[in-house]
Amino acid sequence: MKIAATYDNGNIFQHFGKTEFFKVYEVEDNKVISSEVISSNGTGHGALAGLLAEQGISVLICGGIGGGAQSALAEAGIELCSGAQGDADTAVDAYLKGELVSTGVNCDHHHHEDGHSCGSHEDGHSCGGHEDGHSCGGCGGGCGSQPSITGPNVGKTCRTHYRGTFNDGTQFDSSYDRGEPLEFICGAGQMIKGFDAAVANMEVGQVMDVHLMPEEAYGMPNPDAIFTLEIEQLPGAEDLTVGQQVYLSNQYGQPFPVKVNAKDEKTITFDANHEMAGKELNFRIELVEVK
């Protein structure tokens, strides 16, 4: 089975009709065995369903999508999982585990004003939330805007093995453990800045150790991204638990992932910062192939 995710900067791209890249995951026995990033080659939304069908895609995970595109996917026999956001690898892992939360969980956040609503919390293979776990995927998620990166590998498809650790030596991710190198287009903004910049100047077969400050990785936590709401303003929020990750909607109706930080009888506190924000990261990177 093949799963495709609309892809940008390691994250789920939010506008299906303007998707420039898809990340395609080959799945066997409910596990990802390989993945690659493909280009839509400027194909319009009306033909994207055909492009995915040609690739043998069974499931599409995306953010926003229009009714026409939904119908085209249905006609092509492709299962649609819309409303997803955040790290693409994490969303696919959650889909395979049946842990994605329905878009019904989207809470209307509206700058923390009145009028909040939180739909029913359904289980099953539908989008809108994260599982507990973390799959860094080379730390492709939460990169934000990317400065220009220079080097002989920029613009080329690179395959790397890597092991990521915190400063205390704790491992948070490893392509070696998955048995499959990470593939990405160097300098295209699919990776965090420090990882991308290191690979840009490596030679095939080279192994490099890099230490990244938060500014070169997921940035620093933003205190304004932590906020508290009245539970009575969010029907359904009484079912949420501390540590759970779900999606809220901003004032434009766009979903974004948050984690429940705290909860008491009357209030619930959410944190919209990336879970790796503020952390120094260490990578041992091995450049396996450049093509």
Side-chain angles (χ1 to χ4, degrees), residues 16-20 22 39-52:
F16 174 77
K18 296 183 178 180
T19 300
E20 295 183 7
F22 292 96
S39 172
S40 67
N41 295 318
T43 304
H45 68 85
L48 285 175
L51 171 68
L52 295 173

Side-chain angles (χ1 to χ4, degrees), residues 9-192:
N9 239 12
N11 291 332
I12 300 291
F13 183 63
Q14 291 301 301
H15 190 156
F16 174 77
K18 296 183 178 180
T19 300
E20 295 183 7
F21 296 99
F22 292 96
K23 189 165 185 179
V24 177
Y25 301 79
E26 183 79 31
V27 176
E28 288 184 5
D29 296 327
N30 219 39
K31 293 182 180 179
V32 174
I33 60 171
S34 66
S35 63
E36 64 174 336
V37 177
I38 65 171
S39 172
S40 67
N41 295 318
T43 304
H45 68 85
L48 285 175
L51 171 68
L52 295 173
E54 290 174 3
Q55 293 288 327
I57 302 302
S58 301
V59 179
L60 171 68
I61 297 176
C62 67
I65 186 169
Q70 292 184 44
S71 297
L73 289 167
E75 291 177 6
I78 298 173
E79 179 184 341
L80 174 63
C81 187
S82 62
Q85 184 163 335
D87 184 82
D89 293 351
T90 301
V92 171
D93 287 344
Y95 173 87
L96 293 173
K97 294 176 181 177
E99 294 177 350
L100 280 178
V101 182
S102 169
T103 48
V105 83
N106 285 356
C107 304
D108 204 1
H109 173 229
H110 289 302
H111 278 92
H112 323 317
E113 297 171 1
D114 291 338
H116 308 284
S117 61
C118 189
S120 61
H121 304 272
E122 302 172 11
D123 296 327
H125 287 162
S126 51
C127 288
H130 275 213
E131 84 270 27
D132 288 336
H134 170 72
S135 175
C136 182
C139 292
C143 302
S145 60
Q146 295 285 324
S148 177
I149 292 175
T150 60
N153 297 330
V154 170
K156 299 178 181 179
T157 299
C158 296
R159 287 168 57 85
T160 64
H161 266 308
Y162 66 91
R163 179 172 288 107
T165 58
F166 298 120
N167 285 345
D168 64 1
T170 302
Q171 177 180 298
F172 59 82
D173 197 13
S174 172
S175 66
Y176 293 102
D177 292 351
R178 291 191 294 274
E180 176 70 21
L182 173 72
E183 182 172 300
F184 62 97
I185 300 172
C186 186
Q190 297 172 2
M191 311 299 294
I192 55 173

Side-chain angles (χ1 to χ4, degrees), residues 213-241:
M213 298 302 289
E215 293 78 9
E216 302 171 288
Y218 289 93
M220 295 300 294
N222 179 3
D224 293 336
I226 301 174
F227 53 94
T228 300
L229 302 175
E230 297 288 334
I231 291 178
E232 64 181 16
Q233 296 177 333
L234 298 170
E238 60 273 10
D239 298 327
L240 301 179
T241 58

